[in-house]
């Protein structure tokens, strides 16, 4: 049975090869001062920066730059961004980049008009914004996080080795996001596949909870099949527009709040991966792939029916003459083969994690109870050891 819920998504999307021109429709809705938020310079190399600046100037905007947003944006950078936006008297924060830039823009947006330290307020005390929020727009250059159409904003604190996400409400979601699949084509292959695994795992996190007949699970299966099919094409030929555009759109639907409706949702792979990320600063999608199989193999007996359904519906496992456990296992083996084929990290050691970090990573792992098994600390340690 579907649980009770409300549903609204506040973000307007423009999708396609010509979608950047719609920035002209959005800009007049906001005041003159625009803070352009971007990362380490990929948008200067691939020309997106010049195209965006041209449109901002044509619309008479004062442009203030906030560059150097790193993958896994830090609390220190967030504080710097708040100061830049304050000085600029920002009317719009325009993030141009991947999930890190979009997340960061959201975290800045709720902190510009707030006197508290943003890390303490939103990531330690988990308070909700109680000040004016600066609108955020996003021009996405990497498919993966779904940040373009959700309220998530993940920040890393290197001092405390913590990586924590705050999921804000609809008032913090980007007002608009521009998705041009061509913009993702300059991504190095490793980043592309990390993004693909992130998408896939977002769907898994929502799928692996509950036992009911839920339309969200039907949608999840369709999305998973699309991601698998298109990822194999994109890995073979990264220039394939059809595959890249399907991946980009699937990423948005994987985490724009739709397929979690009526479900409790799991999110333990993300909790384990994020905790490992706090120690290694590794690429987000790779931290997830590194812990996934030990985690799913461990919880499989507790959610056997769903893992069997996953095997048959998503991976096409032939169930004839097999026990439920055999079928479910074959599904996870098929997933493992696919992960190896696309080339994601298969363990935490590849990402720089070492045995002596395990206790610390386990301490930093937030334990959630929406999935098939609420882990205890020893089980977290065991899964992390298995993931090394
Ligand atoms: O910094 P630049 O130079 O732009 O380079 C980036 C970065 O090095 C590069 N890149 C992005 N687009 C490119 C490109 N390089 C060439 N061509 C392009 N078109 O890719 C690298 C990674 O970018 P990043 O934005 O860090 O990747 P991603 O989109 O995976 O975002 C990761 C962050 O999002 C958080 C993660 O924890 C991590 O901090 N997440 C946010 C979520 C949300 N809002 O709901 C959910 C996710 O589970 C995730 O936790
Ligand atoms: Zn993720």
């Amino acid at each position: 049975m579907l649980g009770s819920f409300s549903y609204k998504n506040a973000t307007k999307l423009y999708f396609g090869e010509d979608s950047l021109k719609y920035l002209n429709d959005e800009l007049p809705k906001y005041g003159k001062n625009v803070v352009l938020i971007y990362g380490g310079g990929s948008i200067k190399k691939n020309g997106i920066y010049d195209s965006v600046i041209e449109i901002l100037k044509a619309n008479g905007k004062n442009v203030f730059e906030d560059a150097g947003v790193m993958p896994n944006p830090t609390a220190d950078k967030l504080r710097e961004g708040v100061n830049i936006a304050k000085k600029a008297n920002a009317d719009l924060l325009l993030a141009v980049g991947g999930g890190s830039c979009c997340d960061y823009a959201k975290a800045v947006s709720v902190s510009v008009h707030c006197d508290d330290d943003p890390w303490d307020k939103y990531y330690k005390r988990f308070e909700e914004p109680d000040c004016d929020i600066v609108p955020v727009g996003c021009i996405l250059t990497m498919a993966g996080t779904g940040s373009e159409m959700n309220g998530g904003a993940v920040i890393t604190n290197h001092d405390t080795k913590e990586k924590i996400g705050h999921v804000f409400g609809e008032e913090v979601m980007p007002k608009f996001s521009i998705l041009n699949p061509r913009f993702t084509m300059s991504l190095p292959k490793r980043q592309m596949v990390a993004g693909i695994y992130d998408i896939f795992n977002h769907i898994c996190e929502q799928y692996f909870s509950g036992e009911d007949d839920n339309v969200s699970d039907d949608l999840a299966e369709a999305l998973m099949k699309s991601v698998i099919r298109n990822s194999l094409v994109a890995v073979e030929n990264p220039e394939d527009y059809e595959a890249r555009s399907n991946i980009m759109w699937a990423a948005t639907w994987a985490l724009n709040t739709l397929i979690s409706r009526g479900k409790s949702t799991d999110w333990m792979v993300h909790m384990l991966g994020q905790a490992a990320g706090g120690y290694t600063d590794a690429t987000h999608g790779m931290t997830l792939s590194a812990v996934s199989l030990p985690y799913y193999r461990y919880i499989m007996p507790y959610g056997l029916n769903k893992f069997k359904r996953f095997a048959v519906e998503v991976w096409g496992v032939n169930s004839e003459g097999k026990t439920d456990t055999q079928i479910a296992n074959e599904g996870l083996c098929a997933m493992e083969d696919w992960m190896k084929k696309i080339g994601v990290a298969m363990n935490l050691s590849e990402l720089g994690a070492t045995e002596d970090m395990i206790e610390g990573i386990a301490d930093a792992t937030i334990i959630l109870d929406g999935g098939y098994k609420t882990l205890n600390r020893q089980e977290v340690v065991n899964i992390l050891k298995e993931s090394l």
Side-chain angles (χ1 to χ4, degrees):
M1 192 193 81
L2 273 171
S4 308
F5 57 85
S6 67
Y7 183 69
K8 177 182 176 187
N9 195 300
T11 305
K12 177 157 187 178
L13 290 180
Y14 299 95
F15 188 96
E17 286 187 86
D18 61 349
S19 51
L20 186 59
K21 71 178 184 213
Y22 295 104
L23 185 56
N24 288 300
D25 292 357
E26 288 295 330
L27 289 177
K29 299 177 188 169
Y30 306 95
K32 273 197 159 316
N33 299 329
V34 177
V35 177
L36 181 66
I37 290 172
Y38 59 98
S42 68
I43 63 163
K44 291 201 168 163
K45 285 198 202 108
N46 57 24
I48 299 171
Y49 174 87
D50 289 339
S51 309
V52 172
I53 288 284
E54 197 182 313
I55 296 174
L56 288 167
K57 293 289 177 203
N59 282 272
K61 300 295 180 185
N62 303 322
V63 181
F64 301 82
E65 299 210 3
D66 180 359
V69 178
M70 58 293 280
N72 313 318
T74 63
D76 287 341
K77 177 67 186 161
L78 170 58
R79 295 180 187 114
E80 185 188 310
V82 170
N83 286 331
I84 294 172
K86 262 187 188 147
K87 276 193 196 134
N89 199 10
D91 297 309
L92 175 70
L93 304 174
L94 185 61
V96 187
S100 291
C101 288
C102 297
D103 277 23
Y104 170 86
K106 286 178 242 174
V108 172
S109 79
V110 293
S111 309
V112 179
H113 298 294
C114 156
D115 293 330
D116 291 2
D117 180 74
W119 172 261
D120 291 343
K121 182 175 173 67
Y122 298 118
Y123 297 91
K124 295 312 290 177
R125 302 199 300 271
F126 282 98
E127 290 175 18
E128 292 310 317
D130 45 16
C131 50
D132 285 350
I133 298 167
V134 183
V136 169
C138 175
I139 298 169
L140 195 67
T141 66
M142 168 163 173
T145 64
S147 187
E148 65 275 13
M149 205 183 195
N150 69 36
V154 182
I155 297 294
T156 298
N157 188 328
H158 286 314
D159 297 337
T160 59
K161 291 194 167 66
E162 286 173 295
K163 181 176 186 185
I164 297 179
H166 189 129
V167 182
F168 292 100
E170 66 186 55
E171 69 286 0
V172 185
M173 290 184 185
K175 298 288 175 243
F176 65 91
S177 285
I178 291 173
L179 277 61
N180 180 345
R182 290 249 174 252
F183 287 176
T184 69
M185 296 229 183
S186 54
L187 266 176
K189 203 167 195 171
R190 189 181 152 81
Q191 289 294 345
M192 177 185 79
V193 298
I196 288 168
Y197 192 76
D198 192 22
I199 304 167
F200 189 80
N201 189 255
H202 292 158
I203 309 169
C204 290
E205 299 274 31
Q206 297 163 94
Y207 181 76
F208 287 119
S209 65
E211 290 278 359
D212 50 348
D213 179 8
N214 185 316
V215 72
S216 292
D217 290 339
D218 295 331
L219 293 169
E221 285 167 0
L223 285 170
M224 285 193 269
K225 284 194 274 194
S226 179
V227 172
I228 296 162
R229 197 175 64 246
N230 287 290
S231 67
L232 294 170
V233 176
V235 164
E236 202 57 44
N237 177 15
E239 305 284 313
D240 188 305
Y241 182 82
E242 189 171 56
R244 299 301 289 269
S245 56
N246 281 329
I247 289 167
M248 195 170 206
W249 192 218
T252 305
W253 283 99
L255 196 51
N256 69 358
T257 72
L258 177 75
I259 64 164
S260 63
R261 291 310 87 181
K263 295 188 58 77
S264 57
T265 73
D266 183 359
W267 293 107
M268 274 315 296
V269 168
H270 271 66
M271 295 305 103
L272 292 157
Q274 267 175 216
Y279 272 71
T280 58
D281 206 25
T283 300
H284 171 67
M286 297 304 191
T287 62
L288 307 178
S289 58
V291 300
S292 282
L293 285 163
Y295 175 70
Y296 287 133
R297 290 200 161 112
Y298 183 71
I299 65 156
M300 190 190 79
Y302 303 94
L304 190 56
N305 285 339
K306 186 55 89 46
F307 279 91
K308 179 185 164 193
R309 176 174 161 176
F310 176 67
V312 173
E313 299 298 333
V314 178
W315 298 101
V317 170
N318 177 358
S319 55
E320 226 172 290
K322 296 171 192 158
T323 65
D324 288 357
T325 302
Q326 281 170 331
I327 298 164
N329 265 325
E330 279 189 36
L332 289 178
C333 287
M335 176 172 140
E336 181 171 5
D337 288 346
W338 168 71
M339 290 166 73
K340 287 180 175 159
K341 219 178 266 172
I342 64 169
V344 290
M346 299 304 287
N347 58 65
L348 286 172
S349 307
E350 287 179 50
L351 305 176
T354 47
E355 183 89 44
D356 59 312
M357 292 179 187
I358 294 293
E359 293 293 326
I361 297 175
D363 286 340
T365 301
I366 298 170
I367 295 174
L368 302 175
D369 61 3
Y372 291 121
K373 168 85 177 78
T374 304
L375 301 180
N376 60 42
R377 191 179 179 285
Q378 189 53 48
E379 289 168 323
V380 169
V381 169
N382 295 346
I383 290 165
L384 289 170
K385 281 190 175 157
E386 197 65 31
S387 306
L388 267 184

